[in-house]
Amino acid sequence: MTPCLWVDKDAKAVVDYYLSIFKDGKLKEYHQYENTPEAKEQGGQENFDTAVMEINGLEFSILSAGPYFKFNEFISFVINCKYQAEVDYYWNALTANGGQEGSCGWCKDKYGLSWQVVPIEYFDLINSKDPKAREKAMKNTMKQKKLILAELK
């Protein structure tokens, strides 16, 4: 299965944006098409483009076919980070240039796509057998935007 991300315009620019953040990614395909007369009559653009990119071994299809749909929190992606420095990197990259900080480790990138940037140790804390550790992690999660692991421990 390949998630398809529908964007307003310029699939290549969208891919370039994500590949600037996720350094191990690559562009696999890119195509431009002229829209059909029927689609144009229904308000479609003159042209549209598609791309396929791969990030961390997962393929994403990008369809740039007009402003008909917007991202919302119904679909999001989780970035599991080994270190706080990774959390900081992804958080800063995704919230820059029009992205938005949310709470509890959630943010949106400049296209409005939702991400949760999480240190993997976080899951050990919130699932700890020690009730005090669990409570502290959950309580502090609710106070944070970007997750700061040291404050969750």
Side-chain angles (χ1 to χ4, degrees):
M1 290 188 347
T2 302
C4 180
L5 305 176
W6 183 307
V7 297
D8 292 355
K9 59 184 177 181
D10 202 350
K12 181 70 168 60
V14 173
V15 168
D16 290 344
Y17 168 73
Y18 289 119
L19 295 183
S20 76
I21 295 171
F22 297 94
K23 304 301 184 192
D24 63 343
K26 63 183 173 182
L27 174 65
K28 294 183 77 173
E29 293 180 33
Y30 176 74
H31 304 281
Q32 293 179 304
Y33 303 95
E34 183 176 337
N35 229 335
T36 65
E38 298 82 15
K40 291 177 197 175
E41 288 171 11
Q42 295 174 12
Q45 303 175 136
E46 194 71 27
N47 299 296
F48 67 97
D49 56 345
T50 65
V52 176
M53 66 180 175
E54 183 178 305
I55 297 173
N56 291 334
L58 179 63
E59 280 190 354
F60 293 86
S61 178
I62 308 295
L63 171 62
S64 136
Y68 303 108
F69 305 103
K70 297 292 180 198
F71 293 126
N72 63 46
E73 291 79 2
F74 186 71
I75 297 294
S76 62
F77 296 99
V78 177
I79 303 171
N80 295 305
C81 301
K82 291 180 183 176
Y83 310 104
Q84 185 66 46
E86 283 183 297
V87 171
D88 297 345
Y89 167 78
Y90 286 115
W91 186 268
N92 294 337
L94 292 167
T95 60
N97 301 315
Q100 298 175 323
E101 292 185 340
S103 58
C104 305
W106 291 94
C107 66
K108 291 183 180 182
D109 65 32
K110 72 180 190 175
Y111 293 105
L113 187 59
S114 292
W115 300 84
Q116 189 178 33
V117 184
V118 184
I120 55 175
E121 194 175 340
Y122 172 75
F123 298 106
D124 294 335
L125 293 170
I126 64 168
N127 295 308
S128 174
K129 292 181 181 184
D130 178 353
K132 288 183 180 182
R134 268 195 326 265
E135 183 179 325
K136 181 178 181 184
M138 289 304 291
K139 181 180 173 186
N140 288 336
T141 297
M142 300 301 160
K143 295 178 183 177
Q144 295 182 355
K145 290 185 181 260
K146 175 178 68 176
L147 295 179
I148 309 295
L149 187 58
E151 295 174 12
L152 299 173
K153 292 181 178 183

